[in-house]
Amino acid sequence: MIAKLIRQNRSCRRFDQNHIIDITLLKELVDLARLSASAANRQPLKFVLASRPRINDQIFSCLTWAAYLKDWPGPRDGEKPTAYILILGDSAISKEINCDHGIAAQSILLGAREKGLAGCIFGTVNRKKLMDLLDLPPQHKILLVLAIGKPREKAVVEAVGSDGNIRYWRDAAEVHHVPKRKLADIIIAEY
């Protein structure tokens, strides 16, 4: 089951904007993050949940979409995410977040895939603008933003070509292609 979810869990950048996501479902997904591993069990992560169109529009305005797709400005109206989860680090708990936010993001997105949803992790965020828009206290640092919704695109995984290019791309049918290195290319030793 977990292998299937991981294989299905590709970054999604076009969503069915008519599919509304209830805040209760976002809480269920964050609960998966809450139960996930945390360095030294510090649990320094906090979360902001958004599923209202006005707030979603504000969050959307702070994100940079698909840097490799130079001619694509991002999802059009009708294709935007209908929910967001912001992953924050609470400096009052710990100054060191380590990899907690990556673990939390993966747990949330695997939970979303299990429910027929998809998401995209954003590290390129206008953090100052978003902090101001949401009036977040300065002790919280925005680490990642997760866009979540019902997928409206197909993504396929393929082997990295002989040229070594790892950039994702879209074909004429708007299928999203994601090159991945071969297993033999990433294992450097076996003992």
Side-chain angles (χ1 to χ4, degrees):
M1 177 101 175
I2 190 71
K4 181 180 177 184
L5 288 174
I6 290 170
R7 285 186 180 95
Q8 292 174 342
N9 189 34
R10 303 275 58 88
S11 291
C12 179
R13 294 174 182 87
R14 291 182 303 151
F15 303 89
D16 177 355
Q17 205 166 340
N18 292 319
H19 183 86
I20 305 303
I21 297 176
D22 187 81
I23 204 81
T24 304
L25 177 57
L26 296 180
K27 288 179 183 179
E28 288 176 27
L29 296 175
V30 168
D31 200 37
L32 297 174
R34 179 185 69 85
L35 296 170
S36 297
S38 174
N41 202 33
R42 287 188 192 103
Q43 305 170 64
L45 301 181
K46 298 291 173 79
F47 302 85
V48 173
L49 313 180
S51 65
R52 294 184 187 150
R54 187 181 66 77
I55 298 295
N56 287 352
D57 287 344
Q58 290 178 330
I59 295 169
F60 182 87
S61 75
C62 296
L63 304 177
T64 300
W65 288 84
Y68 288 162
L69 303 177
K70 299 294 183 197
D71 296 331
W72 187 67
R76 299 183 299 257
D77 283 336
E79 297 180 334
K80 294 178 181 178
T82 54
Y84 292 95
I85 297 175
L86 281 64
I87 302 177
L88 313 174
D90 186 339
S91 63
I93 294 174
S94 179
K95 304 272 189 251
E96 294 182 36
I97 303 300
N98 297 305
C99 59
D100 287 19
H101 54 306
I103 295 167
Q106 181 77 338
S107 295
I108 289 167
L109 292 181
L110 290 175
R113 283 304 308 161
E114 184 180 45
K115 295 185 180 298
L117 302 172
C120 189
I121 301 172
F122 288 87
T124 306
V125 177
N126 185 334
R127 286 171 171 79
K128 172 153 183 20
K129 178 180 174 184
L130 191 51
M131 291 284 292
D132 291 344
L133 284 171
L134 300 178
D135 196 27
L136 297 173
Q139 79 187 47
H140 295 119
K141 178 183 177 194
I142 298 172
L143 304 172
L144 296 171
V145 175
L146 307 182
I148 299 175
K150 183 176 172 78
R152 256 185 96 173
E153 66 182 4
K154 180 179 181 187
V156 294
V157 173
E158 54 195 37
V160 170
S162 58
D163 62 358
N165 189 349
I166 49 83
R167 291 177 177 256
Y168 51 79
W169 56 282
R170 289 216 176 114
D171 63 23
E174 295 196 14
V175 173
H176 195 78
H177 296 262
V178 183
K180 292 290 187 181
R181 289 181 171 78
K182 295 176 187 163
L183 183 61
D185 294 339
I186 64 170
I187 297 174
I188 61 168
E190 294 180 48
Y191 299 100

